[in-house]
Structures are given as structure tokens and as C-alpha cells.
């Protein structure tokens, strides 16, 4: 039988008292007998929502649906998902609906259950954020990041303390409490900044890496100051001995986390926390907000809010001034300043917990909630307007193989995703027979998906020195390509790099490396691999998406290597080093005309300098000249490069007339077994009679119509 118990208590803070009476039902109803059983029972007073289990499920569904509706409206304006979750909580709070008419049945009992689930997600979010932090970056950060990280916490902290001290004269009790609150106002949150940079897709950019390094240092300092203030408070209230005990327990906890829990938590499923429990916590924070709190606001609360605003403004000023003194562009400095003052779920959670524990009053909580909503809404929009990492590619002259002389060093980047890519790429490079007169500067970039940590890495594998990371990233890749360099000593120089980053941002690492190394050509592996019998061996759609991004944004020419045997109506593209009794390596270039085909021919001429390589240029001409859309300039350039081929005794020139796409396809399938390597231009969105009718059957737009 259920009994009703009630309790009341009075709490006070800075001259204000809060009296509350809470009624709870014991024992609580958790699991309902079912909707059908409730409908047929005689006692009609019991409802499905009287049971905490169904009520929790219903609340979660309502929170999710309302959040998605709000976010669908706000995301077009640039607002983050966190704001939608917070606003969903405010709309569901008693401020909008009374306890009796709330959509989620807001009562002390339901808030306790929902809040516990949300708090569980918040704690695990903080824990996982700590697990993902690479603390070794604090030792590798440059002077700029260290200065920004330290000064953006210390200077606002001192300014905030000074402001509050001038406005509110109190004793030691106030000083200890005000120092703790000032640290909260002035601190930097690494998880919040990481989420902001990830949402804006600038995590791998130069500004993103600087912001992450500075945020990590600032977060470590904030954590130290917070813990220090708690130890001092314990020392004043309970004595020095208890403070030392707390210090020892904290050190023991850190040791357990680092050596026991951290390796285990790297295997946990992060989407469960960020996608389910954390949104509930953000919504419960919004449920606590009420505009009526402003009616009872006192002078102490106004002083605290003013101190928080001073800390925010000073933090922005310091974050702006230091990069400007380091000669950073003004727009980038402004973007970094907004990044460093960003607020989010960590600050909202801190104020909610302090409000629940009566560390701050409800009016301070209401004021700080408004500040967080404003800052979290404005910062992403402004950063996106100020900083666009792709704009640096606009003023960069695109480098091509055609612009490189045959006797000039070819600067090449090859990307490796899986071990199978290594042998395929090395086989192709060996087939090109590099010489001292036509050498290759090869940059190998091993791409690894970021997992188990928050900070992306870019590692240079120095042959003479140990790598910056203690982890053995790309060791086998480096060994294989260093052996290739020794086998072609003097003709090939190899540098190996490793990029550990999110798949949707890997293009930043590739493009930045291409710009820094003045690369002329990037070679990418195809996302699909085949067995020798034509069956699909593996397929990775993230690799395909990356290839599209590189084709769109690369500052140089790009090639995609389609390896293995792929049957097309009984024929296929042969393996580059298939079992052929011929001592020659046969290469064919399919030429229809246009810039991409000219670049393909330039690459073929570059890798066919050796006598063991035979190059055949197959010019597919339209039997009917109607429908050809090449410009006069393209025709002149095509004629020039083809005349060079015709006059050369080193190349074979074949001219074939075709009427339409099907004839082209039949012809290519008849010759595909004669060559170890076929090079074609992508010819994206180019229409001509030779390929008419093939566009509808093209499965892979990234490699062009001919290979499809």
C-alpha cells in the first residue's frame, strides 16, 4: 500500500532564505501492469503516467521530438544543437506549463528520475572527454598556444576578483566562495571548444589546432584552480588534516583513472552518451530555468553577474590581443577570441549542479543561463563568418603536371588507408621507373580515423629522429616506403607522415600538406577493391567521400588508382603487374580532349621515360562533329599535345572514330586486356558524342564516365 511522506526544509544564502516542501510517494510505482490492464481495472484513479518507467520513456520521446523540431528551425540560422536542447527544456518547464498541465508531467519525483538519467550522461561525458584528451600535447604546444591558454584564464580571473571585491566588501567566507565562482566564470572548457570546432568542421585547420591546444592548457589550469579552491575551503572549514586527506584521495583517484579506467573507457560507445543521455541532461538544465527568479534577485547576484561579464570581456580581449601580437591575421584573431570565450554544456552543467547544491542562488543561475544561451548562440555564427579555411585555396595557383618539365623533380603525395594500398602504390611507382634525370619527391600520408581521443594528430616520421608520438603509428608503412627509396636511391626521396583525424576532415590534412610541399599530383586509392575473380573484396564509403572532397578542394592535380580485376561484360581492368610474358610494361591513355585528358597524357609521358615502358595514346574522335562543345582554346591545346605525340618515335598513336557512348564502351572492352595500366581524364560534366548515353550508367562520378 502506498504511503505519502512529506518533508520541508529551509536554506539560506547571502541573506535570502528558500523554503520548500516536497511530497513523495512510497513505495514508488515503477513498472506499470500495462495499458490494457489499466483500462479494465476498477480503480480509475491510477494512470499510466503514475508509473515512473512509462513516464520516463514518454519524457524521453517528447524531449527528442521537441528538440528535433526546434533544431530543424534554428540550424538554418547557425544555432548549435545544444541551444535547441536547452530551449526544449525551457518550453517544457513549469514556467510555460504548470505542474498539472506539463507535457512531461513535471513533478519532484519525475524530475528526480529524469535528472538522474541526465546527470549520468553528463558525468560520463566529462569522463570520456578526459579520456580522449592527449595530455602530452601540453608539452608540445607552441609558445603562442601556451600564452593564450594561460593568460585567458589568469587575467580574467584577476579582473573578476577585483571587480567583485570593489563592489562587495565581505570577509574570508566571501573571498573563498567568490574565488571559486570567479574560476568558474573565467575558466576554459576543452570539451565545449572541441565540440564547437567539430561542429564547424575546422578541427583540423590551423586555427582549430591552435584553439584546441590553448583550450587544453586553459582547461588544465582551470581544473587545478578549482580543485585548489576546494582544498582551501576544506582547510578553513574542517582543518588542514582533512584537506590533506582529500588531496591524497584525489591523487589516488587520478592514478586509478589513468592506469585502470582510461584504457577500458577507450572501448566504450561514445554515441550512447552524446546521442542519448547528454541531450536529456541539457533539457533538464532548461527545466530548472524560470523567469520568476529575476523578481527576487539581490545585490549579491548582480555583483556576481557583473563580475562574470567582466571576466568574459577581458577573456575576449586577451584572446584577441595575443594572436595579434603574434602577427596573426585580424579575422583569424577575432575568430580565435570568440572560440576561447565559447560556453556550452559544461558551464550549464556546472551552474545547474551548484544551483541544486545551493552554492549559488536561483537568480544567479537564471542570469548565467541567459549568458550561456546568448554566447553559445552567437559564437558559432560569428566564427563561421570570420574563418573559412577553404579561402586559402582560392589565392593558390593550382599546380599541374603539365606545368612541370620532364627533367624536373615531380612532387607527389600518395595516400594510404589500409595495408593493401601500400603494395599497389609501390607497384605503380616501380612501373614508372624513376631515374635521376626524372626524379620523384614522394610524400606518403597514412590516414587514420580519429578514435578514442579528441585531439587530431599530424606526425612527421623523421628518419634520423624519433617521432613526436610514443605510439607506433604507421611503422609498417614507413618501413615499406623507405625500402622503396633505397631500391631507387638517388631517383626517389621519401617522407612519411601520419594524420589521425575525423574522416570528414581528412581533406584538410591532405590539402595543407600539398600546399606546404608544393605538390603537383595527389594519388588516392579507390574506395572499392576487387578479388582477382571480379568479386568485391572491400568497400569504404568514407574513403569515397574523402576522394570527392579532395577532387573539389585540392590545390593540384588528383588521380584515383583503381586497382585489382573488375569484370565488365567478360573483360576488366587488369592488375598493374599481371602475369604477362612480355618484358614491356604497356600503358594506354584514352584521349578525347579537354584539360583533364591533357593532364592524363602529361602524367603518362612522365612515367614512360624508361625504355621498358611502352605508351599508346588512343585518340577517340567523334565520327560526327555535331555536338562537340570544346572551346577553340581547348582545340588548339589538344592539337599541340597530340602533334607532339605523333612526331615522337617513343609513343604509339592510334586514332579511332566512334559514333556514340556504346561504341566507345565496346571498343575499350576489346583492348582492355592489352595494357597493364590505363590512364583516363575524369572529364567531369563534359558532354560529347563519344560518351553520349554513358552518363546514365556511370556508377562512380569521381573516376569519370570512361572507367564507369
Amino acid at each position: 500500500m502506498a504511503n505519502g511522506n512529506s518533508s520541508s526544509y529551509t536554506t539560506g544564502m547571502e541573506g535570502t532564505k528558500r523554503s520548500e516542501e516536497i511530497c513523495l510517494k512510497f513505495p514508488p510505482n515503477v513498472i506499470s501492469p500495462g495499458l490494457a490492464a489499466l483500462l479494465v481495472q476498477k480503480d480509475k484513479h491510477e494512470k499510466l503516467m503514475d508509473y515512473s518507467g512509462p513516464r520516463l520513456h514518454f519524457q524521453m520521446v517528447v524531449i527528442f521530438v521537441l528538440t528535433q523540431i526546434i533544431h530543424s528551425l534554428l540550424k538554418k540560422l547557425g544555432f548549435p544543437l545544444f541551444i535547441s536542447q536547452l530551449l526544449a527544456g525551457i518550453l517544457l518547464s513549469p514556467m510555460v506549463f504548470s505542474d498539472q498541465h506539463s507535457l512531461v508531467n513535471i513533478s519532484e519525483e519525475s524530475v528526480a528520475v529524469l535528472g538522474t538519467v541526465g546527470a549520468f550522461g553528463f558525468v560520463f561525458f566529462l569522463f570520456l572527454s578526459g579520456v580522449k584528451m592527449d595530455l602530452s600535447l601540453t608539452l608540445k604546444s607552441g609558445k603562442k598556444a601556451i600564452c593564450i591558454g594561460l593568460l585567458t584564464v589568469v587575467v580574467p580571473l584577476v579582473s573578476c576578483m577585483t571587480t567583485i571585491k570593489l563592489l562587495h566588501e565581505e570577509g574570508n567566507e566571501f573571498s573563498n566562495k567568490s574565488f571559486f565562482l570567479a574560476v568558474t566564470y573565467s575558466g576554459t572548457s576543452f570539451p565545449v571548444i572541441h565540440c564547437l570546432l567539430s561542429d564547424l568542421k575546422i578541427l583540423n585547420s590551423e586555427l582549430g589546432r591552435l584553439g584546441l591546444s590553448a583550450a587544453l592548457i586553459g582547461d588544465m589550469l582551470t581544473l587545478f584552480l578549482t580543485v585548489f579552491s576546494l582544498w582551501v575551503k576544506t582547510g578553513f572549514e574542517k582543518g588542514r588534516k582533512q584537506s590533506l586527506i582529500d588531496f591524497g584521495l584525489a591523487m589516488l583517484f587520478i592514478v586509478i583513472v589513468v592506469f585502470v579506467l582510461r584504457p577500458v573507457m577507450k572501448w566504450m560507445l561514445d554515441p550512447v552518451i552524446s546521442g542519448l543521455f547528454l541531450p536529456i541532461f541539457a533539457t533538464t538544465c532548461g527545466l530548472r530555468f524560470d523567469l520568476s527568479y529575476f523578481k527576487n534577485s539581490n545585490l549579491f547576484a548582480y555583483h556576481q553577474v557583473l563580475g562574470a561579464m567582466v571576466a568574459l570581456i577581458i577573456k575576449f580581449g586577451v584572446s584577441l590581443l595575443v594572436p595579434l601580437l603574434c602577427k596573426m591575421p585580424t579575422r583569424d584573431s577575432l575568430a580565435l577570441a570568440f572560440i576561447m570565450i565559447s560556453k556550452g554544456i559544461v558551464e550549464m552543467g556546472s551552474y545547474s549542479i551548484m544551483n541544486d547544491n545551493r552554492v549559488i542562488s536561483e537568480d544567479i543561475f537564471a542570469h548565467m543561463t541567459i549568458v550561456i544561451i546568448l554566447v553559445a548562440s552567437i559564437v558559432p555564427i560569428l566564427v563561421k563568418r570570420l574563418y573559412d579555411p577553404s579561402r586559402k585555396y582560392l589565392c593558390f595557383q593550382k599546380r599541374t603536371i603539365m606545368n612541370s618539365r620532364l627533367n624536373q623533380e615531380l612532387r607527389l603525395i600518395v595516400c594510404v588507408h589500409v595495408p593493401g594500398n601500400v603494395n599497389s602504390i609501390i607497384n605503380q611507382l616501380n612501373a614508372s621507373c624513376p631515374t635521376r634525370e626524372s626524379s620523384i619527391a614522394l610524400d606518403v600520408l597514412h590516414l587514420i580515423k580519429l578514435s578514442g581521443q579528441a585531439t587530431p594528430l599530424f606526425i612527421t616520421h623523421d628518419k634520423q629522429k624519433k617521432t613526436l608520438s610514443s605510439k607506433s603509428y604507421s611503422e609498417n608503412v614507413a618501413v615499406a616506403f623507405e625500402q622503396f627509396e633505397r631500391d631507387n636511391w638517388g631517383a626517389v626521396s621519401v617522407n612519411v607522415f601520419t594524420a589521425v583525424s575525423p574522416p570528414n576532415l581528412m581533406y584538410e590534412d591532405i590539402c595543407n600538406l600539398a600546399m606546404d610541399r608544393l605538390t603537383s599530383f595527389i594519388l588516392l586509392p579507390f574506395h572499392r577493391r576487387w578479388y582477382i575473380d571480379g568479386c568485391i573484396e572491400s568497400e569504404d564509403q568514407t574513403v569515397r567521400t574523402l576522394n570527392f572532397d579532395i577532387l573539389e578542394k585540392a590545390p593540384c592535380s588528383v588521380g584515383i588508382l583503381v586497382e585489382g580485376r573488375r569484370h565488365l561484360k567478360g573483360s576488366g581492368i587488369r592488375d598493374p603487374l599481371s602475369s604477362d610474358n612480355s618484358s614491356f610494361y604497356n600503358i594506354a591513355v584514352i584521349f578525347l580532349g579537354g584539360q583533364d585528358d591533357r593532364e592524363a597524357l602529361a602524367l603518362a609521358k612522365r612515367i614512360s621515360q624508361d625504355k621498358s615502358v611502352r605508351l599508346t595514346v588512343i585518340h577517340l574522335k567523334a565520327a560526327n562533329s555535331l555536338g562537340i562543345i570544346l572551346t577553340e582554346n581547348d582545340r588548339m591545346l589538344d592539337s599541340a599535345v597530340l602533334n607532339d605525340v605523333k612526331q615522337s618515335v617513343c609513343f604509339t598513336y592510334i586514332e579511332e572514330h566512334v559514333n556514340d557512348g556504346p561504341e566507345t564502351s565496346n571498343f575499350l572492352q576489346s583492348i582492355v586486356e592489352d595494357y597493364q595500366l590505363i590512364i583516363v581524364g575524369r572529364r567531369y560534366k563534359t558532354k560529347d558524342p563519344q560518351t553520349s548515353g554513358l552518363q546514365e550508367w556511370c556508377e562512380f562520378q569521381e573516376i569519370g564516365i570512361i572507367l564507369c
Side-chain angles (χ1 to χ4, degrees):
M1 183 172 177
N3 297 319
N5 293 343
S6 65
S7 61
S8 64
Y9 58 90
T10 303
T11 61
M13 179 174 179
E14 302 299 328
T16 64
K17 292 186 179 293
R18 187 190 309 176
S19 180
E20 298 180 359
E21 183 174 348
I22 300 174
C23 297
L24 299 177
K25 193 174 184 179
F26 294 100
N29 296 326
V30 180
I31 302 176
S32 71
L35 183 61
L38 291 175
L39 291 176
V40 300
Q41 69 179 0
K42 296 180 179 180
D43 186 6
K44 299 298 182 180
H45 295 290
E46 284 195 2
K47 300 178 181 178
L48 186 64
M49 291 296 107
D50 292 337
Y51 296 86
S52 59
R55 184 173 61 239
L56 176 62
H57 296 156
F58 177 71
Q59 290 171 343
M60 294 171 65
V61 170
V62 172
I63 288 172
F64 176 79
V65 172
L66 185 58
T67 298
Q68 294 303 315
I69 292 174
I70 297 174
H71 189 57
S72 65
L73 300 176
L74 296 183
K75 67 179 179 181
K76 298 178 181 179
L77 302 177
F79 290 90
L81 180 60
F82 164 69
I83 293 298
S84 301
Q85 296 165 350
L86 203 58
L87 292 178
I90 294 175
L91 290 177
L92 295 172
S93 67
M95 183 184 70
V96 179
F97 295 98
S98 64
D99 288 359
Q100 292 78 17
H101 301 93
S102 176
L103 290 178
V104 290
N105 192 17
I106 299 301
S107 64
E108 290 294 338
E109 184 181 358
S110 67
V111 168
V113 176
L114 193 64
T116 301
V117 175
F120 173 83
F122 181 64
V123 170
F124 266 89
F125 169 74
L126 295 179
F127 189 77
L128 286 175
S129 298
V131 168
K132 293 178 181 180
M133 285 184 183
D134 186 0
L135 298 182
S136 62
L137 287 180
T138 57
L139 303 176
K140 307 169 191 173
S141 302
K143 295 180 180 179
K144 188 190 302 183
I146 294 175
C147 290
I148 295 173
L150 296 178
L151 293 178
T152 52
V153 175
V154 175
V155 177
L157 175 62
V158 174
S159 303
C160 181
M161 289 286 294
T162 304
T163 302
I164 296 177
K165 186 68 176 177
L166 292 175
L167 294 173
H168 200 103
E169 293 289 344
E170 286 289 345
N172 289 332
E173 181 182 356
F174 166 76
S175 298
N176 296 331
K177 183 183 297 183
S178 64
F179 179 78
F180 176 78
L181 293 177
V183 171
T184 306
Y185 303 148
S186 310
T188 302
S189 173
F190 177 84
V192 170
I193 292 180
H194 177 270
C195 291
L196 171 66
L197 297 174
S198 181
D199 291 341
L200 295 176
K201 297 183 179 180
I202 57 174
L203 198 63
N204 278 22
S205 64
E206 296 177 8
L207 186 69
R209 293 180 185 273
L210 176 60
L212 276 183
S213 299
L216 182 59
I217 295 171
D219 202 339
M220 292 298 101
L221 179 59
T222 302
L223 179 62
F224 171 77
L225 292 174
T226 302
V227 175
F228 176 77
S229 65
L230 292 175
W231 286 338
V232 171
K233 180 177 180 293
T234 303
F236 276 111
E237 294 179 353
K238 300 181 181 179
R240 186 179 302 175
K241 182 178 180 180
Q242 184 62 42
S243 180
L244 292 175
I245 293 175
D246 289 351
F247 175 79
L249 292 175
M251 293 299 102
L252 178 62
F253 175 74
I254 291 174
V255 170
I256 294 175
V257 167
V258 172
F259 295 102
V260 180
L261 298 180
R262 180 182 174 94
V264 175
M265 292 302 294
K266 284 187 176 181
W267 295 96
M268 185 167 179
L269 248 51
D270 184 57
V272 176
I273 303 300
S274 59
L276 177 62
F277 294 113
L278 196 62
I280 295 176
F281 178 76
T283 304
T284 57
C285 291
L287 288 171
R288 294 175 170 88
F289 180 78
D290 198 329
L291 290 174
S292 63
Y293 295 157
F294 292 108
K295 297 178 181 178
N296 302 322
S297 186
N298 57 19
L299 191 61
F300 175 79
Y302 287 125
H303 291 168
Q304 289 293 320
V305 173
L306 184 59
M309 295 304 298
V310 169
L312 188 68
I313 295 172
I314 296 297
K315 190 181 186 74
F316 178 83
V318 173
S319 303
L320 176 63
L321 183 60
V322 174
L324 288 176
L325 293 177
C326 296
K327 309 299 182 182
M328 185 181 287
T330 304
R331 291 177 65 91
D332 293 358
S333 300
L334 282 169
L336 180 62
F338 282 114
I339 289 172
M340 296 305 297
I341 67 167
S342 59
K343 305 292 182 183
I345 187 65
V346 174
E347 290 80 8
M348 194 69 245
S350 300
Y351 293 128
S352 297
I353 293 172
M354 286 191 287
N355 179 50
D356 292 344
N357 294 325
R358 310 300 188 248
V359 177
I360 61 175
S361 58
E362 292 174 332
D363 50 349
I364 295 179
F365 171 76
H367 281 100
M368 297 314 300
T369 300
I370 295 296
V371 172
I372 291 175
I373 291 176
L374 291 176
V375 174
S377 301
I378 296 173
V379 164
I381 299 174
L382 294 178
V383 173
K384 195 170 184 178
R385 292 286 182 88
L386 290 169
Y387 184 71
D388 180 11
S390 63
R391 72 171 183 261
K392 60 188 173 185
Y393 306 135
L394 300 178
C395 57
F396 188 87
Q397 185 177 2
K398 193 166 185 176
R399 299 175 64 88
T400 63
I401 301 175
M402 285 191 65
N403 295 334
S404 303
R405 296 189 300 271
L406 287 177
N407 58 352
Q408 182 182 355
E409 183 182 59
L410 177 63
R411 295 186 174 271
L412 175 67
I413 290 179
V414 296
C415 297
V416 174
H417 295 279
V418 294
N421 299 146
V422 176
N423 290 333
S424 302
I425 292 173
I426 290 179
N427 288 341
Q428 291 294 344
L429 294 173
N430 275 323
S432 66
C433 302
T435 62
R436 294 177 182 269
E437 293 75 22
S438 181
S439 60
I440 296 176
L442 180 64
D443 294 324
V444 182
L445 183 57
H446 188 198
L447 299 167
I448 300 176
K449 180 181 178 181
L450 182 66
S451 178
Q453 64 184 41
T455 310
L457 299 175
F458 192 88
I459 304 170
T460 302
H461 297 272
D462 198 317
K463 302 170 189 174
Q464 306 299 329
K465 301 178 182 178
K466 293 183 178 180
T467 59
L468 294 177
S469 175
S470 59
K471 302 174 183 177
S472 57
Y473 290 112
S474 312
E475 182 178 350
N476 294 332
V477 175
V479 169
F481 279 97
E482 286 171 4
Q483 181 61 46
F484 171 71
E485 181 182 24
R486 288 191 291 269
D487 295 340
N488 297 273
W489 189 255
V492 177
S493 61
V494 175
N495 290 287
V496 181
F497 306 89
T498 297
V500 185
S501 56
N504 63 327
L505 300 178
M506 284 180 177
Y507 71 89
E508 280 281 345
D509 294 314
I510 301 173
C511 293
N512 288 336
L513 182 62
M515 291 182 63
D516 294 339
R517 306 287 292 179
L518 300 178
T519 302
S520 298
F521 186 65
I522 299 174
L523 183 61
L524 305 172
F526 193 52
H527 72 280
R528 180 182 289 182
R529 294 166 57 87
W530 291 269
Y531 289 112
I532 195 170
D533 61 356
C535 297
I536 296 177
E537 176 185 356
S538 61
E539 186 170 4
D540 192 340
Q541 289 299 322
T542 59
V543 174
R544 186 185 187 192
T545 302
L546 174 63
N547 290 348
F548 271 112
D549 291 335
I550 297 299
L551 286 169
E552 181 182 352
K553 300 176 182 179
C556 62
S557 296
V558 179
I560 298 178
L561 177 62
V562 184
E563 55 183 321
R565 183 179 296 273
R566 176 186 170 204
H567 285 276
L568 291 174
K569 297 183 181 179
S571 300
I573 297 176
R574 300 180 62 186
D575 189 276
L577 295 181
S578 60
S579 56
D580 195 335
N581 295 328
S582 173
S583 59
F584 292 101
Y585 187 79
N586 296 315
I587 300 177
V589 175
I590 309 301
F591 191 93
L592 283 79
Q595 182 178 357
D596 289 350
D597 285 3
R598 292 194 297 270
E599 188 70 4
L601 181 57
L603 174 63
K605 292 168 67 175
R606 179 76 192 221
I607 66 178
S608 61
Q609 297 297 300
D610 193 87
K611 294 181 179 179
S612 62
V613 178
R614 286 183 172 178
L615 173 62
T616 301
V617 179
I618 302 175
H619 186 194
L620 296 179
K621 301 186 69 174
N624 189 345
S625 60
L626 296 177
I628 299 179
I629 59 173
L630 288 176
T631 64
E632 186 63 30
N633 184 53
D634 277 331
R635 290 195 185 95
M636 293 176 60
L637 293 174
D638 291 345
S639 178
V641 296
L642 290 176
N643 286 336
D644 182 59
V645 171
K646 294 175 183 178
Q647 296 173 6
S648 175
V649 295
C650 301
F651 310 135
T652 301
Y653 176 79
I654 299 176
E655 192 173 287
E656 183 73 19
H657 293 266
V658 292
N659 291 304
D660 51 23
E663 279 194 21
T664 299
S665 179
N666 291 333
F667 171 76
L668 293 178
Q669 293 196 25
S670 67
I671 66 168
V672 71
E673 293 289 346
D674 299 332
Y675 302 97
Q676 283 79 42
L677 176 65
I678 298 178
I679 304 176
V680 300
R682 186 188 182 201
R683 312 184 79 252
Y684 184 56
K685 292 184 178 179
T686 301
K687 297 180 180 180
D688 44 41
Q690 300 97 308
T691 58
S692 62
L694 297 180
Q695 184 69 37
E696 294 77 8
W697 300 96
C698 185
E699 184 180 1
F700 306 112
Q701 296 288 343
E702 65 270 29
I703 59 176
I705 299 177
I706 299 296
L707 284 183
C708 284

